[in-house]
Amino acid sequence: MTATAVLRPRARRLRPWRPWAGGVTPLSAQIAGTVLALLILAALTADLVRPVTSAIDLDAILVAPSLAHPFGTDDTGRDVLALSLQALQVSFTIAALAALVAVVIGLWVGVLAGALGGRVDGLLMRVVDFLSSQNHLLFGLLIVVLFRPALGPAGAVMLSVGLTHWLVVARIVRGELLSLRDRPFVAAAIGGGATLGRLVTRHYLPHLAPAVGVAMVLLLPHAIFHESALSFLGVGLPPHDPSLGNLIAAGQRSLLVGAWWVSLIPGLLILAASVAVGTLGEYWRDRHQPRWRGELEL
């Protein structure tokens, strides 16, 4: 064995079926992107099937999958496939808005902690540590109960998910700012008389954009799961509103009479959306900013 062979680092084998073990291959990212694009297209065109989702057929209650209904019907005779597409649109919308709320809160908490430092940093990080030690689902239930009368079911669920998922973003932003404060260009800007506001807007935020973008992408599957869990528990969206959690809850009741197909498609949609978004987020993180790998385990 030559000296060159000894010093050459061993290449990491990429496993597309186990992205958490060895990274995500470009092929896996392409497949995930295709799946996500199809899901988004289905969500965008879900309004075309709205008349089908609202059509109750008492003569077709819990019909098994057939040519007329490829994925069967529910306990009111509505087509499960049409309901699932409508629910996918609702869940995607709530998850995207909730992830945006979480990123905005986490960004500014992290900026304040990292830019001001000192007692402000210590206080904000203790708040983050305390909230991180709490159960997200129970905390989310409390937020929904408190804000549901004022914001409505969808607004309360969105706020619940946003207020329980900003903590990791705040940690990432603070860590990035602590490293940026030691950079020569920041020292030069401070020496030139730049104010704190100018440092944040002209120097800090542009460098934080990639990290915040990765964090928001990785937050989406967690937001989908959280919204589905709240709806499944009966505290999220009303039972008559199509959401993936509501459909799975209805499917659980239908399982008692052998109607397994009611919850199959919503469950598969949640799984497909979560895996696709998570795979793309991991690929982006590993290829562009590998130093975030330990921080972005949401």
Side-chain angles (χ1 to χ4, degrees):
M1 182 179 295
T2 64
T4 304
V6 173
L7 296 176
R8 182 180 298 137
R10 184 176 181 180
R12 185 177 65 176
R13 185 173 64 175
L14 301 179
R15 302 177 182 178
W17 62 91
R18 293 178 61 195
W20 58 88
V24 181
T25 64
L27 177 61
S28 300
Q30 291 175 3
I31 295 174
T34 302
V35 172
L36 183 61
L38 291 176
L39 291 176
I40 293 175
L41 179 63
L44 292 176
T45 58
D47 288 334
L48 299 177
V49 300
R50 188 181 295 273
V52 181
T53 62
S54 59
I56 297 177
D57 187 358
L58 298 181
D59 294 328
I61 294 177
L62 295 179
V63 172
S66 61
L67 292 178
H69 302 283
F71 296 101
T73 62
D74 66 352
D75 53 0
T76 60
R78 295 179 295 178
D79 186 79
V80 172
L81 177 58
L83 277 174
S84 299
L85 293 179
Q86 189 69 32
L88 183 65
Q89 183 188 64
V90 173
S91 296
F92 259 146
T93 302
I94 292 178
L97 293 176
L100 181 61
V101 171
V103 165
V104 170
I105 296 175
L107 173 64
W108 288 109
V109 171
V111 166
L112 289 176
L116 297 179
R119 294 183 179 180
V120 175
D121 182 21
L123 176 61
L124 291 177
M125 287 301 101
R126 297 297 76 75
V127 172
V128 170
D129 292 338
F130 172 75
L131 294 178
S132 299
S133 65
Q134 308 304 311
N135 186 287
H136 283 182
L137 186 57
L138 293 179
F139 188 39
L141 288 173
L142 177 61
I143 295 173
V144 170
V145 171
L146 291 176
F147 291 96
R148 188 185 181 100
L151 300 179
V157 170
M158 181 190 69
L159 185 64
S160 170
V161 178
L163 290 181
T164 54
H165 287 76
W166 60 270
L167 306 172
V168 175
V169 181
R171 292 182 183 275
I172 296 170
V173 172
R174 173 183 177 270
E176 285 292 301
L177 277 186
L178 292 180
S179 65
L180 286 174
R181 286 166 57 181
D182 298 329
R183 301 285 182 87
F185 68 90
V186 175
I190 295 175
T195 61
L196 180 60
R198 184 174 179 83
L199 285 175
V200 171
T201 57
R202 296 295 299 273
H203 299 287
Y204 292 157
L205 291 182
H207 287 81
L208 293 173
V212 173
V214 173
M216 184 169 181
V217 171
L218 292 179
L219 277 174
L220 285 174
H222 293 266
I224 293 174
F225 273 122
H226 200 100
E227 180 275 324
S228 300
L230 291 174
S231 297
F232 178 79
L233 293 175
V235 297
L237 299 180
H240 60 273
D241 286 354
S243 76
L244 296 178
N246 283 339
L247 293 184
I248 293 177
Q252 185 185 37
R253 297 190 297 268
S254 300
L255 282 175
L256 299 176
V257 294
W260 50 268
W261 55 86
V262 178
S263 57
L264 175 64
I265 297 303
L268 290 178
L269 288 176
I270 292 177
L271 178 63
S274 301
V275 172
V277 174
T279 301
L280 288 175
E282 294 238 359
Y283 181 78
W284 188 7
R285 179 187 65 186
D286 291 343
R287 293 302 179 274
H288 296 284
Q289 296 291 347
R291 68 178 182 276
W292 298 330
R293 185 171 185 84
E295 293 288 341
L296 282 176
E297 297 296 340
L298 300 178

